[in-house]
Amino acid sequence: MKEAAMYAEERQIATARLVAERGRISVADIAERFEVTTETVRRDLSTLERRGLVRRVHGGAVPVETMAVLESALGEREQTFTAQKDRIARAALALLPTEGGTIAIDAGTTTSRFAHALPRDHQLTVVTHSVPVAAMLAGSPQIELHLLPGRVRPATQAAVGAETVDALSKLRVDVTFVATNGLTLAHGLSTPDHEEAATKRALVNAARRVVCLTDSSKIGVETTLRFAALGNVDVLVTDSDIDDDVADELRESGLEVLIA
């Protein structure tokens, strides 16, 4: 079945989903489905590979990982599990350091909601690599804001790369509030992209205390790259849809689990 003509970004998203669904697809099949040239398909696959969404192989593409958890666009993620994320953000405010403390805020939709919920009567120094978080907090009189350097990755609108990691290696913050694409007992906290993983790892290493903010849909999910073992995280803040047995297993591993 052929698809109607679409813009390049729409076609690339559709291609990534097709690869995830089928497990492997050829350049010729993609070209026929979307009525484009094989050269256009190869350019699309190169773009998707750079974004960490597919892996190119001879004659086609395969998912980045067997479980094929795609990193959805930031705008799309903003529209999912919104009530749960708001509850998580509010609950996490109880974990702020004392007034005058320093926190790091990771890129992510739940962490962005947490940043938006920061109290206006609590003086803090905030370090972030997230452009949306920085834009949200810029001008807040109670916040001393530090935006990390680096290349801004379109999928997450966050600075990543060697420059970002190097800047974080020189810092020590009271609490890092980190997001994740997946969390399991065996694999820890994970994400599909190499540069995102390196930056998240540096955020974790820079903190005296690490708090993971994630909705329950990410729990039980494993993505390609682990950036923190559960032992590197002090508190998980998630929503009440988490399975009770899973929550108990996480607590038994030594992780404090706060249900919002």
Side-chain angles (χ1 to χ4, degrees):
M1 176 181 171
K2 295 181 179 179
E3 302 286 342
M6 54 181 68
Y7 293 111
E9 186 175 359
E10 294 174 316
R11 185 179 63 247
Q12 289 162 9
I13 292 170
T15 299
R17 295 193 184 282
L18 195 61
V19 172
E21 291 166 4
R22 294 194 179 181
R24 182 184 181 114
I25 191 168
S26 71
V27 169
D29 285 346
I30 299 170
E32 180 181 1
R33 185 178 184 91
F34 297 107
E35 297 184 317
V36 294
T37 66
T38 55
E39 187 57 35
T40 296
V41 173
R42 291 188 182 96
R43 285 197 299 269
D44 284 351
L45 293 179
S46 293
T47 298
L48 291 169
E49 187 172 56
R50 285 195 301 272
R51 292 179 60 192
L53 295 177
V54 305
R55 181 175 294 122
R56 293 190 66 181
V57 295
H58 181 68
V62 296
V64 171
E65 52 190 309
T66 55
M67 292 178 65
V69 179
L70 293 181
E71 201 176 13
S72 56
L74 191 65
E76 180 183 340
R77 296 202 310 272
E78 281 283 6
Q79 305 307 315
T80 60
F81 301 101
T82 54
Q84 292 92 327
K85 290 173 182 178
D86 284 336
R87 293 201 305 271
I88 291 165
R90 290 193 297 269
L93 295 177
L95 303 172
L96 286 170
T98 57
E99 188 157 355
T102 301
I103 65 172
I105 302 179
D106 189 14
T109 55
T110 307
T111 46
S112 291
R113 290 171 184 274
F114 168 73
H116 181 71
L118 288 175
R120 297 189 178 276
D121 59 351
H122 193 86
Q123 296 287 330
L124 287 170
T125 296
V126 177
V127 176
T128 188
H129 69 129
S130 166
V131 174
V133 168
M136 187 184 304
L137 297 179
S140 298
Q142 83 282 15
I143 300 294
E144 180 183 316
L145 179 64
H146 296 262
L147 178 60
L148 292 163
R151 176 184 69 84
V152 175
R153 185 167 176 257
T156 55
Q157 297 177 29
V160 296
E163 194 177 5
T164 315
V165 171
D166 181 63
L168 282 165
S169 71
K170 298 178 175 68
L171 297 179
R172 192 69 167 161
V173 302
D174 295 312
V175 187
T176 281
F177 293 89
V178 69
T180 188
N181 295 80
L183 185 155
T184 66
L185 278 168
H187 194 48
L189 280 62
S190 58
T191 192
D193 182 78
H194 286 271
E195 289 186 312
E196 289 282 349
T199 302
K200 289 176 180 290
R201 193 173 298 117
L203 282 164
V204 168
N205 291 339
R208 294 184 178 89
R209 194 168 193 229
V210 178
V211 177
C212 177
L213 308 182
T214 188
D215 66 80
S216 58
S217 71
K218 310 289 180 55
I219 297 171
V221 173
E222 293 184 349
T223 59
T224 312
L225 299 165
R226 180 172 64 186
F227 64 86
L230 287 188
N232 301 127
V233 180
D234 297 287
V235 186
L236 166 67
V237 187
T238 190
D239 60 80
S240 56
D241 290 335
I242 185 174
D243 183 271
D244 290 340
D245 291 338
V246 172
D248 289 342
E249 288 176 349
L250 291 171
R251 290 188 178 104
E252 288 168 7
S253 76
L255 183 64
E256 182 182 344
V257 180
L258 179 60
I259 308 294

